[in-house]
Amino acid sequence: MDEDEEDCESSARLLGMSFMNRSSAHRSGSSPYTRRDPPRSCSRPSTRSTVVCVLLLVIVASLTMVLYFLPGCNFTKAGCQKPNNTLEPVYPWATNVHELFPWAEFRLPQSIHPLSYDLTLNPDLESMTFTGRTVINMSVRHNTKRIVLHSANLNITKATFKLGDRKTSVVTVLEYKPRQQIAVKFSEELKEGQYCVLTLDYSANLSNTYGGFYKSSYTDKDGNKRVLAATQFEPLAARKAFPCFDEPAFKATFLIKISRKSNYMTLSNMPKATSTPLTNGLIQDEFEKTSVNMSTYLVAFIIADFTPISKNVSDTLVSVYSVPEKKEYTDYALDTASKLLEFYSDFFDIDYPLKKLDLVAIPDFLAGAMENWGLMTFRETSLLVGNKSSSLEKQVVASIIAHELAHQWFGNMVTMRWWNDLWLNEGFATYMQYTSVQRVLPQLDIGNSFLAMRFRALDKDALNSSHAVSTEVNTPEQVEEMFDSVSYEKGASLLLMLNASLPWNQQFKKGILQYLKQFNGSNTDTEDLWNSLTQVDVSTLPQNVSEMMSSWTSQKGFPLVTVSRKGDQVTLTQEHFLLTSDNATHTSRLWNVPVTYVNDSCSLAPECRQMFTLKTKSGTFKLPQTVKWLKLNYRNTGFYIVHYGSEGWDSLIEALSNNVSVLTHEDRASLIHNIFALSRLGRVSFHQVLNLLNYLLNETETSPVKEALLQLSSIYRLLDKRQEQYLVARMKNYILLHFHSLMGNQTWEEEESISKQELRSALLEMACSLNEESCTQKAKAMFTQYVQSNGTIRIPGDLQRVVFTVAAQSDEDWSTLLSMYRYSTYDAEKRKMLQGLASTQNARHVVWILHAALKGDIIQTQELPLVISTVCNGFAGYLFAWDFIQENWDRLIEKFPLGSFALQAVIKSSTSQFSTQAHLDQVQGFFSSLKERGSQMRSVREALETIRLNQRWMDNNLPTLRKRL
């Protein structure tokens, strides 16, 4: 609960429309209602005439039947000729000239394949424009009379073509803007096996969004505005910087040249080869040709005045770049990247293939980070931390670096064939970020974050608006929408489950290495991964990996496993855990579930874990009758939810009431998550939920406490937004009663343990948000001390958000905090100040901060999703935020592409706390009115479904809440 669609019709759709148009019959000009003369009388025909008529009728009928049943005959002098039944595609008109565009599909044809690009770019950071020349060397894979590639917002001024050793000729470029495609047509066929060169000169404006080749700026320590240009091409924006075959499977090499002024520097994927003075006073930097074939989305270049720090790691020069004023915050990133690079090279048994690896902090960057090969780009908050930063802040940075570094193997070396299998990139990188940080930096204790991530992935995938991990993608909007928790978090969760279910002989790692080595430099789909895992050593596998895992990647959702016991027999039954009923598929879906379980005789150590594979609707196994209770999904490594039935839940609740430590903290958090999910499904009463939560009076571990607080906080905010003030007061008292002791035990000093920092920040943020007096007083005092010391007395990193949030509730301190925000240079702290500012309950401040974030001068527009999310958590701002989104939708989709993660976040945070029919009607009406400007997004369907679920939950549980709280 927390978090120009293009007209890209397929040729099949176009054909369907054309066929219908063509098939209308020619109507007779005569009227069927013409008056007729009355019939004249006639004599009875003779017998002979009758026989002749009958014979004629038989002959005509026979001929008619022969003609009917002869398939597709055209009768000529040579007899019956079967025509070619293949329907020709209906091509659209080009948008730049009155001529048919020779392609009618979203995906490019496979007849031409790029081999290499020679790119020359001349950016002008004063006029914010650039010119370019792209030389593409290509091979002809199939005979063709056309070359089709991508280009978006580029003004092509000249195009030439050269086939083999023939003369270069000027060619006409056709453009079809709705699909961002350009094409060159030929009168003579290009033949399979030939080679050709297409050269395109063009000009364009630097983008004012966060995609393509875009302009950015920052203010230096002297208050001067400094401009720069950077790139973000994933998924579909390389075409905005140079004409190209902008699909993952069209890999090629790249040689890049960029001109600049002498006071700037340039970076690209490869090391710089030469710098040449030009006659216009500029310098042209030429970079080495890429030593690897790359997909276009991984190309990158930057023109800026950044400062680096560097070190050699084996044969690779690792550097971290930042604006000069923030060089002091780069040491941790350099050290962490160096350690992780060594780990990955060793773990994957494949060396990092490039001579250098740059990590660049960009002041204005929408994504968290981007894995461009050899030139990884980051938000400043995702890369820069100070020496005195908290361990929790360092954990975030290390985790993001680990994710992007993992991509250098998963994604860069081996790349998904098409965006439908994005999870092969993002699921793996997400899985490896947690695995690598746990191995290389165990002091960062990242396990709790991985567990919480899996819970949120389950929450998203329980919706009917979710999608399969590997799913069809046919429009730009759908490509953007693949960048969600299903591709990232669910993908990682499935890999964890697979690893946990394979034998203890590193079967999973062997399969991964096989996959990387077999497909290095290539493109793959999901089946290639399963085949690699199966091929390693089939004899050791309990079952076929492809058979097991296809049930998890080819269909949306996950199973609900219900447990029942009778004597010594345990019966497990599976069904689709679906919060919104879908009768068409609800009962037919089955998963191959590797169920793990422990019981009261042995429940903590990994050796206690037992396994049962549930392949069918139900299955049984034996268990001694002396076993008191059973806990499935040991340490929550499986991607499913468990219902124990009334007796099973009672047994587990009793066990936890007697001894909290009878289960691992992951299993205790898992029970809390599962019972809230079952309550939302309607399988358990909220009365039962509250029964389980009673054990929390004795809970001290981070994961269970954080999960309980998150679930209770969600309900509290729903009640608050429904203006159920009586229940809001009761819920506040309930939370404070159950967690008062833990809240009171938290210190406000520096804390080394990350787990304790996570626990403390969650507890104190909850306490202060409920206006618990001792918490708010301490936070106010700490802020006053911080202001009076001019920031020299530091607030511990994990406490900064709660302190700034409390301060922002005072108008005077809000103004002070805004002033500090404007001049702060440390980005992690600055972002927490922004969250504090956005948590204000002053309506005028709410309106100001929303518009300031959209305008982008004081608050960068990249932070708008965070601002909206924070505003929506408060009572004063959530309706303002919803109005703001409706009023400014066109400006939002100028900045954030339709379907993008940023827009998904904006929609979710602004609607996920609605729970009334009035709000449902409002949301549905607004998005329906958008039509091609956003109405078809999956995130819209998710928002509407969530509101309906909130409404249902409230209707079902308000009586229980009134009774039990």
Side-chain angles (χ1 to χ4, degrees):
M1 288 171 21
D2 270 333
E3 300 209 21
D4 34 35
E5 178 187 8
E6 304 284 5
D7 180 18
C8 292
E9 297 175 55
S10 67
S11 58
R13 281 184 63 193
L14 290 166
L15 280 169
M17 293 164 64
S18 172
F19 181 76
M20 287 189 291
N21 291 336
R22 287 199 215 116
S23 65
S24 35
H26 295 290
R27 293 185 174 89
S28 169
S30 62
S31 168
Y33 302 109
T34 305
R35 175 187 291 273
R36 296 178 181 175
D37 294 329
R40 292 174 296 179
S41 62
C42 61
S43 60
R44 178 186 296 272
S46 68
T47 304
R48 184 178 179 182
S49 299
T50 303
V51 171
V52 170
C53 288
V54 169
L55 284 171
L56 282 170
L57 285 170
V58 169
I59 291 167
V60 170
S62 299
L63 283 170
T64 302
M65 291 177 69
V66 168
L67 290 172
Y68 181 80
F69 287 109
L70 274 175
C73 280
N74 288 334
F75 284 95
T76 66
K77 289 180 180 179
C80 170
Q81 303 294 320
K82 293 184 180 179
N84 181 358
N85 286 323
T86 304
L87 291 174
E88 287 295 321
V90 179
Y91 295 117
W93 288 100
T95 47
N96 60 332
V97 293
H98 189 68
E99 192 173 335
L100 285 175
F101 190 81
W103 191 242
E105 296 183 23
F106 175 54
R107 301 277 297 273
L108 296 180
Q110 298 294 310
S111 48
I112 302 288
H113 199 96
L115 301 173
S116 67
Y117 292 82
D118 189 333
L119 307 179
T120 303
L121 295 152
N122 306 294
D124 185 335
L125 298 186
E126 292 178 357
S127 66
M128 291 300 172
T129 60
F130 68 99
T131 61
R133 168 174 285 187
T134 297
V135 182
I136 314 174
N137 289 275
M138 302 165 287
S139 67
V140 182
R141 296 286 180 90
H142 309 289
N143 294 359
T144 184
K145 288 186 175 183
R146 65 197 166 202
I147 297 174
V148 184
L149 62 160
H150 290 109
S151 173
N153 305 324
L154 303 178
N155 176 32
I156 296 174
T157 54
K158 183 181 179 182
T160 61
F161 179 75
K162 187 175 188 297
L163 178 63
D165 296 329
R166 299 185 191 179
K167 279 186 173 183
T168 299
S169 59
V170 175
V171 291
T172 299
V173 175
L174 306 179
E175 183 174 15
Y176 187 60
K177 287 185 177 180
R179 283 196 287 272
Q180 300 182 338
Q181 293 172 354
I182 58 172
V184 178
K185 293 198 295 189
F186 303 95
S187 57
E188 185 182 330
E189 246 185 7
L190 307 178
K191 302 294 185 182
E192 181 180 341
Q194 290 181 320
Y195 294 90
C196 52
V197 181
L198 181 64
T199 302
L200 298 160
D201 293 338
Y202 59 96
S203 62
N205 293 318
L206 289 171
S207 172
N208 58 4
T209 70
Y210 294 101
F213 191 16
Y214 73 94
K215 59 188 177 185
S216 179
S217 65
Y218 69 96
T219 304
D220 65 18
K221 63 179 185 297
D222 298 320
N224 301 312
K225 182 180 179 180
R226 303 300 302 263
V227 296
L228 59 109
T231 60
Q232 170 60 37
F233 290 160
E234 189 180 35
L236 306 174
R239 63 192 71 174
K240 295 180 180 179
F242 58 97
C244 57
F245 296 80
D246 201 10
E247 294 180 8
F250 289 103
K251 290 189 173 186
T253 59
F254 294 82
L255 190 152
I256 297 173
K257 292 173 280 216
I258 307 173
S259 64
R260 60 174 172 87
K261 288 186 175 180
S262 58
N263 58 334
Y264 280 88
M265 46 84 73
T266 61
L267 294 169
S268 189
N269 304 84
M270 296 294 288
K272 190 184 298 180
T274 61
S275 292
T276 307
L278 301 176
T279 55
N280 57 5
L282 300 178
I283 298 168
Q284 185 180 76
D285 293 332
E286 180 174 331
F287 298 88
E288 294 178 16
K289 184 177 181 178
T290 58
S291 54
V292 289
N293 283 318
M294 298 196 312
S295 302
T296 48
Y297 77 87
L298 293 170
V299 176
F301 34 86
I302 297 169
I303 302 93
D305 59 344
F306 293 159
T307 303
I309 63 169
S310 307
K311 70 186 292 187
N312 280 297
V313 178
S314 298
D315 295 324
T316 303
L317 179 66
V318 181
S319 305
V320 177
Y321 287 82
S322 69
V323 300
E325 289 83 357
K326 297 178 182 179
K327 184 178 179 179
E328 63 180 297
Y329 303 128
T330 56
D331 290 332
Y332 181 78
L334 180 62
D335 183 58
T336 300
S338 300
K339 290 176 181 176
L340 288 165
L341 181 62
E342 285 185 307
F343 169 79
Y344 282 136
S345 294
D346 179 61
F347 184 87
F348 296 133
D349 197 28
I350 302 175
D351 288 335
Y352 173 76
L354 304 186
K355 295 178 183 177
K356 61 104 173 171
L357 175 66
D358 298 334
L359 296 82
V360 186
I362 297 179
D364 204 13
F365 192 73
L366 182 60
M370 177 61 205
E371 68 268 18
N372 314 302
W373 218 341
L375 183 60
M376 304 193 306
T377 46
F378 298 77
R379 273 194 185 200
E380 291 180 323
T381 51
S382 301
L383 190 66
L384 306 179
V385 289
N387 294 327
K388 295 181 180 179
S389 299
S390 71
S391 300
L392 206 52
E393 291 167 336
K394 291 176 179 177
Q395 184 200 71
V396 171
V397 168
S399 178
I400 295 171
I401 292 172
H403 182 101
E404 304 310 324
L405 263 178
H407 272 309
Q408 307 302 300
W409 285 263
F410 288 102
N412 298 11
M413 285 186 191
V414 182
T415 313
M416 77 268 147
R417 189 168 282 111
W418 180 239
W419 299 107
N420 64 309
D421 278 324
L422 177 66
W423 86 276
L424 290 174
N425 282 21
E426 299 301 349
F428 260 110
T430 304
Y431 175 74
M432 288 307 303
Q433 81 182 66
Y434 292 104
T435 302
S436 62
V437 171
Q438 194 64 53
R439 294 273 293 275
V440 178
L441 302 162
Q443 70 275 18
L444 295 182
D445 195 12
I446 203 165
N448 290 333
S449 296
F450 194 14
L451 179 63
M453 180 218 78
R454 302 199 297 274
F455 291 151
R456 305 292 74 82
L458 286 162
D459 294 345
K460 169 74 178 279
D461 206 30
L463 298 174
N464 201 20
S465 50
S466 185
H467 62 91
V469 169
S470 181
T471 194
E472 196 172 337
V473 173
N474 293 313
T475 68
E477 180 182 300
Q478 290 173 355
V479 172
E480 292 280 0
E481 286 187 316
M482 289 302 290
F483 292 80
D484 66 358
S485 69
V486 174
S487 296
Y488 286 70
E489 284 85 5
K490 183 180 180 180
S493 302
L494 297 184
L495 292 170
L496 174 68
M497 180 174 68
L498 177 59
N499 190 15
S501 67
L502 292 176
W504 300 102
N505 62 353
Q506 294 197 308
Q507 182 76 36
F508 180 75
K509 181 179 177 181
K510 290 177 184 177
I512 296 310
L513 300 188
Q514 164 83 9
Y515 171 75
L516 285 173
K517 290 178 179 178
Q518 181 178 353
F519 296 106
N520 192 352
S522 303
N523 296 84
T524 61
D525 54 34
T526 296
E527 199 60 32
D528 293 321
L529 173 63
W530 304 147
N531 289 340
S532 293
L533 284 159
T534 302
Q535 289 166 11
V536 176
D537 186 0
V538 179
S539 61
T540 66
L541 293 176
Q543 58 181 313
N544 181 284
V545 171
S546 180
E547 177 191 322
M548 170 187 167
M549 294 307 295
S550 62
S551 69
W552 294 93
T553 56
S554 63
Q555 58 185 354
K556 69 182 177 185
F558 57 87
L560 167 62
V561 177
T562 301
V563 189
S564 62
R565 291 180 64 185
K566 189 173 184 180
D568 64 350
Q569 182 168 289
V570 178
T571 301
L572 303 182
T573 308
Q574 66 160 300
E575 61 185 292
H576 187 184
F577 188 102
L578 192 61
L579 289 171
T580 302
S581 180
D582 179 5
N583 295 326
T585 57
H586 184 59
T587 56
S588 61
R589 287 186 173 143
L590 291 175
W591 285 261
N592 194 318
V593 192
V595 177
T596 55
Y597 60 94
V598 293
N599 59 59
D600 60 293
S601 65
C602 184
S603 59
L604 298 173
E607 296 76 25
C608 298
R609 186 194 73 158
Q610 298 180 69
M611 185 176 291
F612 176 82
T613 302
L614 182 62
K615 297 182 181 181
T616 54
K617 179 70 175 175
S618 63
T620 60
F621 60 87
K622 301 286 187 181
L623 200 65
Q625 293 191 42
T626 54
V627 169
K628 296 178 182 177
W629 52 261
L630 199 61
K631 166 64 178 71
L632 272 62
N633 200 1
Y634 175 68
R635 299 182 73 176
N636 206 76
T637 55
F639 199 73
Y640 54 93
I641 281 175
V642 185
H643 183 24
Y644 297 93
S646 182
E647 291 183 7
W649 279 112
D650 287 344
S651 299
L652 286 164
I653 290 168
E654 183 182 359
L656 286 173
S657 299
N658 294 331
N659 179 12
V660 171
S661 301
V662 75
L663 289 171
T664 65
H665 70 90
E666 295 98 333
D667 281 321
R668 303 199 299 272
S670 171
L671 289 175
I672 292 169
H673 172 268
N674 283 198
I675 202 165
F676 272 99
L678 289 165
S679 167
R680 203 155 165 75
L681 186 64
R683 293 296 178 92
V684 302
S685 67
F686 201 68
H687 175 82
Q688 187 81 305
V689 175
L690 297 175
N691 286 344
L692 174 64
L693 296 188
N694 285 332
Y695 102 88
L696 286 168
L697 292 166
N698 299 313
E699 181 63 84
T700 59
E701 288 288 340
T702 301
S703 289
V705 171
K706 281 190 68 176
E707 184 61 26
L709 286 173
L710 184 146
Q711 298 286 356
L712 291 169
S713 176
S714 297
I715 295 170
Y716 177 86
R717 287 200 299 269
L718 279 177
L719 292 168
D720 196 28
K721 304 303 192 300
R722 285 270 289 237
Q723 301 180 46
E724 295 277 354
Q725 296 309 315
Y726 173 76
L727 283 177
V728 168
R730 289 289 193 92
M731 179 61 82
K732 171 184 174 178
N733 291 336
Y734 176 87
I735 295 171
L736 293 176
L737 175 66
H738 279 71
F739 297 98
H740 179 75
S741 179
L742 263 182
M743 289 171 173
N745 290 336
Q746 302 308 304
T747 67
W748 292 74
E749 311 300 326
E750 291 287 353
E751 170 60 65
E752 287 301 314
S753 164
I754 283 192
S755 184
K756 290 181 179 178
Q757 287 182 33
E758 291 175 319
L759 178 64
R760 176 170 75 173
S761 62
L763 285 163
L764 294 180
E765 283 181 20
M766 175 60 83
C768 283
S769 72
L770 298 177
N771 293 314
E772 199 276 327
E773 190 174 0
S774 63
C775 181
T776 55
Q777 285 182 349
K778 188 67 180 175
K780 288 175 183 176
M782 188 169 275
F783 182 73
T784 300
Q785 189 179 40
Y786 176 74
V787 172
Q788 289 174 348
S789 71
N790 202 23
T792 56
I793 297 178
R794 189 176 173 278
I795 302 169
D798 61 300
L799 297 180
Q800 287 172 356
R801 187 165 62 184
V802 65
V803 169
F804 295 147
T805 297
V806 170
Q809 306 317 307
S810 151
D811 288 352
E812 182 181 348
D813 287 343
W814 189 89
S815 299
T816 302
L817 189 61
L818 176 60
S819 177
M820 297 175 78
Y821 173 83
R822 297 180 71 164
Y823 296 104
S824 174
T825 58
Y826 179 43
D827 295 285
E829 183 177 60
K830 188 169 186 172
R831 205 159 195 248
K832 291 165 193 165
M833 289 178 177
L834 181 59
Q835 287 175 292
L837 290 166
S839 69
T840 176
Q841 297 303 291
N842 181 314
R844 294 186 183 278
H845 289 162
V846 167
V847 172
W848 180 89
I849 202 166
L850 288 167
H851 285 89
L854 181 60
K855 187 177 180 182
D857 49 359
I858 297 172
I859 300 168
Q860 291 175 319
T861 303
Q862 67 181 21
E863 300 290 8
L864 183 57
L866 177 68
V867 167
I868 290 173
S869 175
T870 309
V871 164
C872 287
N873 283 336
F875 182 79
Y878 80 109
L879 292 178
F880 283 113
W882 172 236
D883 287 344
F884 170 83
I885 289 164
Q886 295 175 85
E887 292 165 8
N888 295 281
W889 182 256
D890 288 338
R891 291 180 67 186
L892 288 173
I893 62 176
E894 281 177 17
K895 283 290 183 182
F896 311 130
L898 284 173
S900 64
F901 189 79
L903 211 55
Q904 291 177 47
V906 165
I907 293 169
K908 181 177 181 178
S909 60
S910 62
T911 61
S912 63
Q913 294 173 68
F914 291 155
S915 63
T916 66
Q917 188 63 42
H919 281 139
L920 176 62
D921 293 342
Q922 275 186 33
V923 174
Q924 193 158 20
F926 170 68
F927 284 111
S928 295
S929 72
L930 295 177
K931 297 182 180 177
E932 74 280 357
R933 289 159 41 243
S935 65
Q936 300 304 311
M937 287 189 294
R938 186 186 293 118
S939 49
V940 172
R941 298 197 299 274
E942 180 186 329
L944 295 171
E945 184 178 2
T946 300
I947 297 169
R948 292 188 186 101
L949 289 168
N950 291 343
Q951 190 178 3
R952 184 181 77 185
W953 193 92
M954 281 292 173
D955 291 344
N956 293 343
N957 291 285
L958 282 176
T960 303
L961 289 169
R962 292 187 180 107
K963 183 177 180 181
R964 282 294 304 268
L965 291 180

